[in-house]
Amino acid sequence: MSARTPGLGRVGIWAGDFDALPAADVRQAATAIEDLGYGALWLPETTGREAIAQAAILLAATRRITVAAGMTDVYARDAVTAAAAQRTLEEAFPGRFLLGLWDSHPSLAEDVRGHRFGPPLTIMRSYLDALDSAPFGPPATTASPHRVLAALDPGMLTLAAERARGATVLGMPTEYTRTARKTLGDDRLLAVTQLCVLSHDRAHTAELARTTAAAALPNRRELLRGLGHPSPDALDDRLVDAIVAHGRAEDITHRVQEHLDAGADHVSLHLLTTEPHTPPIQQWEQLAGHLPT
């Protein structure tokens, strides 16, 4: 295990569909992920459950696994509230909660939450300043070092190197993992999330893989062009395969190892299925037997 990843392990699960499940099923799924030996359970935040409250539910339902609110929207709560919530969970579950801050999307910030969307780097720097100086929290607690920034562009990665434990990068090819590691430097955590579709027959995964890659394009077009994909909107097979690992467990394991070899400390698997209302526990189990520890 890398010295940069205490408590995370090498491989975790990105639970992108938990908001589609009843709370009882979410708790059961979290227990299954922990029992299968995964090191961390990552949660996004869009328009479903409030991320830090859901993290508290999952921390209480499990014993050892790290729960990472990997894309906590900075427009969803002010920094003082975020600091108090983080310190509360750190006091109750020492070392098991990881706060991941996300600069959101204009539509979420403005149309859903009613804020004015600002320049991401400026907003994030101000948020980090307020987080560090927040006066509230449980007695005898201080600003927590357990935070990462959800980052795609080099500017946010540089800010993560300066002001956080590291960065989490979602849905990018392994070539970008090398870029992210170079930008972060050797002493920061790099956690990447790999989109994946599991099936013994790649022909059965092709359509879902293509749909998943298409959904990932809007925030990644320019970065993908820089990685040698000049026409990302064409969604050729090479690009789909670069974004989504699909096929057998061995194929996904190979992609995980590629990320680790490229400089990632931790890889979380965002497993896509055609039944988002059913936790893919059997598929998590199938993958767990093949993955590095």
Side-chain angles (χ1 to χ4, degrees):
M1 181 183 299
S2 168
R4 297 180 293 254
T5 58
L8 287 178
R10 299 288 264 173
V11 183
I13 293 295
W14 182 276
D17 293 328
F18 268 18
D19 283 347
L21 304 175
D25 290 350
V26 167
R27 288 193 289 267
Q28 182 181 12
T31 300
I33 291 168
E34 179 176 67
D35 290 345
L36 288 168
Y38 291 100
L41 170 56
W42 295 76
L43 306 168
E45 181 175 49
T46 51
T47 57
R49 293 188 181 92
E50 196 275 333
I52 299 178
Q54 178 156 243
I57 293 170
L58 298 179
L59 286 163
T62 52
R63 304 177 306 279
R64 59 157 185 84
I65 197 169
T66 295
V67 175
M71 290 178 62
T72 303
D73 191 335
V74 297
Y75 291 92
R77 64 198 62 75
D78 63 70
V80 173
T81 300
Q86 183 182 21
R87 295 175 195 178
T88 299
L89 292 185
E90 179 63 26
E91 180 189 41
F93 306 96
R96 291 185 57 209
F97 176 64
L98 178 62
L99 178 66
L101 299 172
W102 177 47
D103 57 319
S104 194
H105 283 301
S107 60
L108 277 175
E110 297 185 352
D111 300 335
V112 175
R113 302 195 186 279
H115 299 285
R116 177 175 293 179
F117 185 80
L121 283 174
T122 301
I123 293 296
M124 188 63 76
R125 283 187 184 277
S126 297
Y127 199 89
L128 292 170
D129 290 342
L131 198 67
D132 288 343
S133 62
F136 300 122
T141 62
T142 58
S144 173
H146 298 300
R147 71 184 183 206
V148 295
L149 303 188
L152 283 179
D153 65 272
M156 195 63 73
L157 285 167
T158 299
L159 183 60
E162 295 171 354
R163 302 289 304 276
R165 179 176 165 187
T168 176
V169 176
L170 171 66
M172 288 295 288
T174 54
E175 293 89 346
Y176 197 69
T177 298
R178 294 186 183 89
T179 298
R181 169 52 66 202
K182 183 176 180 180
T183 303
L184 283 172
D186 293 334
D187 63 342
R188 289 291 183 265
L189 168 70
L190 174 56
V192 303
T193 300
Q194 176 62 57
L195 305 171
C196 52
V197 183
L198 178 64
S199 174
H200 290 294
D201 186 350
R202 275 176 60 90
H204 292 164
T205 67
E207 182 177 354
L208 182 54
R210 187 169 299 278
T211 301
T212 301
L217 276 184
N219 293 333
R220 295 166 175 81
R221 284 188 180 90
E222 293 307 314
L223 292 172
L224 291 169
R225 288 189 179 101
L227 294 175
H229 300 277
S231 303
D233 288 295
L235 277 178
D236 58 66
D237 290 344
R238 186 172 72 92
L239 177 57
V240 172
D241 289 349
I243 295 175
V244 184
H246 61 109
R248 301 168 301 166
E250 293 85 352
D251 298 318
I252 294 171
T253 299
H254 181 69
R255 182 67 58 85
V256 169
Q257 191 61 54
E258 286 183 333
H259 280 295
L260 296 173
D261 292 343
D265 298 298
H266 175 88
V267 181
S268 61
L269 300 176
H270 185 356
L271 188 62
L272 286 305
T273 74
T274 57
E275 298 179 354
H277 295 279
T278 302
I281 293 175
Q282 290 185 341
Q283 293 187 332
W284 290 334
E285 182 177 7
Q286 185 179 348
L287 285 169
H290 292 81
L291 294 167
T293 58

